[in-house]
Amino acid sequence: MEELARRLGLRTSPHIFFWSSGLMVLFLVLLLVFPDPIGAAFGAGREWIVTNLGWFFILGVTSWLIFLIWIAVSRHGTLRLGKDTDRPAYSNLSWFAMLFAGGIGTVLMFWGVAEPISHFTTPPFAGVQPFSAQAAQDAMAISLYHLSLHTWAIFTLPGLAFGYFIYRYDLPMRVSSVFYPFLKERIHGPIGRTIDVFAVLGTLFGLAVSLGLGTSQINAGLTDLIGVPDVVWPKVVIITILTIVATASIVAGLDKGVKRLSNLNILMAVGLMVFVLVTGNTVFLLRQMIESIGIYAQEIIPLSFWNDAMSRFTKEGGWGWQGGWTVFYWAWTVTWSPFMGVFLARISRGRTIRQFVAGVLVAPSAFTLVWFVIFGWSAMELDGIGGTGGPISAAVAESVPLAMFEFFTNFPAGTFVSGVAVVVVALFFATSSDSASLVVDMLCSGTGDAGPVRQRVFWGVSEGVLAASLIVLGGTAGLTALQQVITVIGLPIFILVFAMMFALVVGLRNEATASPAPVPRAERETGEPAVENDEARSG
C-alpha cells in the first residue's frame, strides 16, 4: 500500500486511504449490481434499529448535552484547546460565520418551512388537532429541539474531544486520537485504523444524504420555476454539475475556494431571512421571536427524554413517528460529527473549553431559533392557524422539497426569490462538499495540511458519485431510502461518539494529576507514526 501511494503521488496514510476508498467503491459496485437486495437490507436494518435502539439515540444525545454543560461550568472549563499560551486565531464574528457555514446551512434551507408545517399538519402528540394554535406551538418546539442545542451537542462533543487530544497531546488529526487514553500507541495500529476507516465512511455517507436532500430541493425549485421534471435523472444531473463546482473550489484551495463560497452563501441566506421578516408580518414575527424562546425553554426538558413510550395505547399504528424524525436526525447528524469535529477543532485552537462549548452550542442555536421563527411561524400563519390547512401544507404533503418554494409565492417577487433560494441551496451544497472533502483528506492523512490536489479531488468526486447512487437506489422514494441508509450507517458512529465522553473524562482526570505527555505526530509525508518506545518517551 505504501508503494502504491508513493507511485500515485499521494501524501496520506495508505491503510486508511485505500481501505476507506476500497470499501466505498465496493458498496457502489454492490449497489449497482444488487440494488433491490441492498435496499431491502438497509430497510430491514433501519426498522430494527428504530424499534430496538431508538431510545438509545434519544438518551445518548441528551446525555451529551448534559455532559457538555457540566464540563463547561466545571474547573476543567478554563483549560485551553492547545498549549496554555495559545490564543484564538479568529474573532468571535468570523468564528460564528464558519460554524454556520460548516454546520447546518443546507439543513435549515431544507427544513426551515417543511418541518414546522409537517408537525403543524400532522401533530405527533395524541389529542392535538391539526392546524390548531397548540399544533403550531408544538411544531415550533419540536423543530427547535431537533435543530438547536441537541444538534449542536452532536458536533460540539467530538469537536471538543478532537481539540483537546490533538492539540494538548500533539496527536494526529484523526478520530482514533480521541481514544488515546484507552488505546495508547494502538491508535496507530489496526484498531485505530479501523476506527478511522469507519469515521471516513460515515462522513461520506452523511454528506451523501445531505447532498441528496439538497439536490431534491434544487430539483423541486427548478420544477416550480421552469418545469424541470421531478424525477431521478435531473437530480443526477444536478449532483454532477454541483460536484464539478465543488471540485473547482477544492482545487482553488481553502482560502480562495471554500472561504469565498462560505461568505457568499451566508450573506445570501441572511438576506433571504431579512427579506421574509421585512415583507412578512413583521410585528407578529417579532412577538413570536420572544415567545418562542419561552416555548423552547419550557419544552426542551420533556422533549429531551420523550420516547413516545405510550404510543401503542394512544396512537393507531403505535410507535414510529420518532423513528422517521428524531432518530433519523440524530443518526444523520452524528455521521457529520467526524467532519464537523475536525473542522471545529481546527478553527477553535486557543479557546478555552468553556468558550468553545458556550460558543458552539449557543451561537448557532440562537441563529437557528431566529431562522425557524421567521420561516416557520410565517409559513404556519400563511397556511392558516386555526383553519383547515392551505397550499403550503398541501405542497409538503405532495413533496417536502417543494415547501420553501410554495412559501415564497406569498411574497413580492416570489419567482425571483425562489430563484435566489435555489442558488443558496446550491452554494450550501458546494460548500459542504468541498469542506468535507478537505476534512476527509485530513482524517486520512492525520495532519491539518491540505494534501495533493488529486487526493482532494478524489474525495470530492466520490461524494458526488455516492450521493447520486443513493438517489438512484431510492428512485421516487428517495428521501425514504436516504433515511434507511443513514440510520444504519449512523449507529457505529453514534457508539464511537458516545465513547468520546469517557475518553474526555479520563483525559481530564489525568490532566488534573499531571501534564499530558506528548506523543509522536504522524509523519507528514506518509501519515504514519514515528515509533518510539515507552522508555524513550519517559526520557
Side-chain angles (χ1 to χ4, degrees):
M1 287 188 181
E2 292 176 4
E3 177 62 21
L4 179 59
R6 187 186 66 78
R7 291 187 175 221
L8 293 174
L10 305 180
R11 192 168 70 243
T12 186
S13 168
H15 295 281
I16 299 172
F17 180 89
F18 287 119
W19 272 105
S20 299
S21 55
L23 289 172
M24 181 191 64
V25 171
L26 176 62
F27 173 81
L28 290 176
V29 171
L30 292 175
L31 189 61
L32 180 65
V33 178
F34 307 109
D36 293 335
I38 290 179
F42 275 108
R46 176 186 179 273
E47 184 68 25
W48 186 90
I49 289 171
V50 166
T51 302
N52 296 284
L53 294 176
W55 63 270
F56 174 62
F57 280 87
I58 292 167
L59 175 64
V61 177
T62 297
S63 67
W64 299 350
L65 179 58
I66 294 171
F67 171 78
L68 289 166
I69 294 172
W70 166 77
I71 206 171
V73 301
S74 73
R75 59 191 174 90
H76 304 300
T78 57
L79 289 174
R80 292 193 178 274
L81 303 183
K83 308 306 177 187
D84 292 336
T85 55
D86 287 344
R87 292 296 182 271
Y90 302 100
S91 68
N92 289 335
L93 184 60
S94 297
W95 188 48
F96 166 68
M98 287 186 283
L99 292 179
F100 176 73
I104 55 174
T106 305
V107 179
L108 291 181
M109 287 296 299
F110 190 88
W111 292 114
V113 169
E115 175 158 7
I117 286 291
S118 295
H119 308 324
F120 179 55
T121 304
T122 311
F125 298 124
V128 177
Q129 292 298 315
F131 308 109
S132 65
Q134 185 61 54
Q137 291 181 331
D138 289 344
M140 183 55 56
I142 293 168
S143 299
L144 293 174
Y145 163 56
H146 281 157
L147 288 166
S148 292
L149 290 173
H150 280 71
T151 281
W152 284 94
I154 297 174
F155 297 150
T156 306
L157 177 56
L160 177 61
F162 278 128
Y164 178 77
F165 287 105
I166 290 171
Y167 295 137
R168 291 190 75 84
Y169 281 65
D170 201 30
L171 287 165
M173 193 171 284
R174 295 195 185 115
V175 176
S176 57
S177 295
V178 174
F179 301 101
Y180 181 79
F182 305 138
L183 300 177
K184 302 299 182 185
E185 295 303 316
R186 285 176 292 176
I187 65 170
H188 303 303
I191 297 177
R193 290 169 184 160
T194 300
I195 291 173
D196 293 323
V197 169
F198 268 114
V200 170
L201 290 174
T203 301
L204 291 170
F205 277 95
L207 181 67
V209 170
S210 297
L211 300 188
L213 293 175
T215 299
S216 298
Q217 191 172 31
I218 293 171
N219 195 171
L222 294 177
T223 300
D224 184 62
L225 291 171
I226 57 176
V228 173
D230 190 6
V231 292
V232 171
W233 70 262
K235 295 181 175 67
V236 174
V237 172
I238 291 167
I239 287 179
T240 302
I241 294 172
L242 292 178
T243 298
I244 293 172
V245 174
T247 302
S249 178
I250 291 168
V251 173
L254 185 63
D255 290 331
K256 293 182 179 179
V258 178
K259 183 178 179 181
R260 289 176 181 174
L261 278 180
S262 298
N263 292 339
L264 179 60
N265 64 24
I266 288 171
L267 288 173
M268 294 181 71
V270 171
L272 279 177
M273 186 172 66
V274 172
F275 170 80
V276 173
L277 175 63
V278 172
T279 59
N281 191 339
T282 306
V283 174
F284 172 74
L285 294 178
L286 292 176
R287 293 174 68 186
Q288 284 294 355
M289 199 85 69
I290 305 302
E291 191 164 311
S292 295
I293 295 173
I295 292 172
Y296 183 44
Q298 179 180 342
E299 297 296 333
I300 185 172
I301 293 179
L303 284 174
S304 296
F305 296 94
W306 178 51
N307 270 274
D308 208 9
M310 297 297 290
S311 61
R312 67 190 183 96
F313 305 108
T314 60
K315 295 181 182 178
E316 184 179 352
W319 191 78
W321 180 90
Q322 282 188 310
W325 284 98
T326 309
V327 176
F328 163 63
Y329 266 145
W330 297 165
W332 172 27
T333 306
V334 83
T335 58
W336 275 64
S337 62
F339 156 48
M340 281 299 296
V342 169
F343 179 74
L344 292 174
R346 194 175 182 211
I347 66 175
S348 304
R349 182 168 188 165
R351 295 187 181 273
T352 65
I353 288 177
R354 185 168 300 139
Q355 290 171 339
F356 179 84
V357 172
V360 179
L361 280 181
V362 176
S365 296
F367 185 91
T368 298
L369 186 144
V370 174
W371 184 277
F372 268 116
V373 166
I374 292 175
F375 283 92
W377 276 116
S378 293
M380 289 188 287
E381 185 200 20
L382 289 168
D383 216 46
I385 297 175
T388 57
I392 301 177
S393 56
V396 172
E398 178 186 347
S399 174
V400 171
L402 283 173
M404 182 71 77
F405 304 104
E406 178 61 40
F407 171 72
F408 282 134
T409 62
N410 295 278
F411 292 87
T415 301
F416 172 76
V417 176
S418 292
V420 173
V422 170
V423 174
V424 172
V425 174
L427 287 174
F428 273 127
F429 182 124
T431 303
S432 299
S433 181
D434 58 17
S435 299
S437 299
L438 293 171
V439 171
V440 167
D441 191 47
M442 292 175 194
L443 290 174
C444 290
S445 66
T447 75
D449 299 329
V453 171
R454 68 190 69 183
Q455 278 177 208
R456 290 176 279 142
V457 168
F458 171 79
W459 291 120
V461 172
S462 297
E463 289 156 8
V465 172
L466 187 58
S469 300
L470 293 178
I471 287 290
V472 172
L473 170 67
T476 55
L479 181 58
T480 300
L482 294 174
Q483 288 178 327
Q484 292 171 348
V485 170
I486 208 60
T487 304
V488 175
I489 296 295
L491 180 59
I493 307 299
F494 197 91
I495 294 171
L496 280 179
V497 176
F498 207 100
M500 290 181 184
M501 280 198 306
F502 302 100
L504 269 170
V505 169
V506 174
L508 291 168
R509 187 179 298 164
N510 293 339
E511 178 102 20
T513 57
S515 297
V519 296
R521 265 196 184 279
E523 300 211 0
R524 294 197 180 270
E525 290 299 321
T526 63
E528 294 301 310
V531 179
E532 289 183 19
N533 56 38
D534 291 339
E535 185 175 270
R537 182 185 303 288
S538 63

